[in-house]
Amino acid sequence: MIKVCIISCGMIANSAHIPAYRTFGNDFFISAVSDINENSARETAKRHGIPNFYVNAEEMLEKEELDALHICTPHYMHVPMAEAALAKGLAVFTEKPPAISWEQWKRFSGLEKKGFLSVCFQNRYIDAAKKLKSMVDSGET
């Protein structure tokens, strides 16, 4: 079982990412969520049966025994949160875009050397994208 925490409890975490983790059965366990808005963190944890919530992401990273961190923060926080998680040896899943400036992109693009890093580009999984990929792989294009 992979223990994961989620940073930021907005619409995308509640409507997409947390429900997506539930489709994996016991492969993933969401042990905590974090949001600077305490009510949002508390309500998200309650709504989804997540045992712990925090208002400070760094505290969550210190206290929780984790395998992975899922970052759903505002865009400008993706790189610093990914850096902090990778420094702790965690796998990192982040929402798009991965960076908001050229400077951030240069920092982000080197992070994969520090551990597992994935950006959630969900369009890879829609039927049209899968068909295009199969066409490219087969040489049709």
Side-chain angles (χ1 to χ4, degrees), residues 19-67:
Y21 277 111
R22 301 291 190 225
T23 67
F24 291 104
N26 292 328
D27 293 338
F28 286 91
F29 174 70
I30 303 171
S31 63
V33 293
S34 174
D35 197 291
I36 59 173
N37 179 321
E38 185 173 352
N39 288 333
S40 182
R42 180 185 299 110
E43 288 302 312
T44 295
K46 182 179 176 182
R47 180 181 313 120
H48 297 286
I50 298 168
N52 301 303
F53 72 90
Y54 297 84
V55 294
N56 182 300
E58 289 80 11
E59 180 184 3
M60 180 176 70
L61 291 176
E62 287 297 322
K63 290 185 175 180
E64 295 292 322
E65 290 188 30
L66 300 174
D67 300 305

Side-chain angles (χ1 to χ4, degrees), residues 53-132:
F53 72 90
Y54 297 84
V55 294
N56 182 300
E58 289 80 11
E59 180 184 3
M60 180 176 70
L61 291 176
E62 287 297 322
K63 290 185 175 180
E64 295 292 322
E65 290 188 30
L66 300 174
D67 300 305
L69 180 69
H70 197 119
I71 302 169
C72 298
T73 61
H75 303 150
Y76 73 93
M77 292 298 299
H78 292 177
V79 172
M81 292 279 81
E83 288 171 330
L86 288 166
K88 293 190 170 295
L90 303 178
V92 174
F93 302 94
T94 187
E95 222 350 276
K96 62 186 179 311
I100 61 165
S101 67
W102 178 244
E103 187 59 39
Q104 270 200 349
W105 174 250
K106 289 190 289 186
R107 284 170 53 197
F108 187 85
S109 65
L111 290 178
E112 79 280 353
K113 295 173 186 147
K114 297 182 179 189
F116 179 85
L117 177 64
S118 177
V119 180
C120 298
F121 286 110
Q122 76 280 7
N123 289 340
R124 291 180 289 193
Y125 305 107
I126 63 174
D127 289 339
K130 290 191 284 187
K131 176 64 176 168
L132 286 171

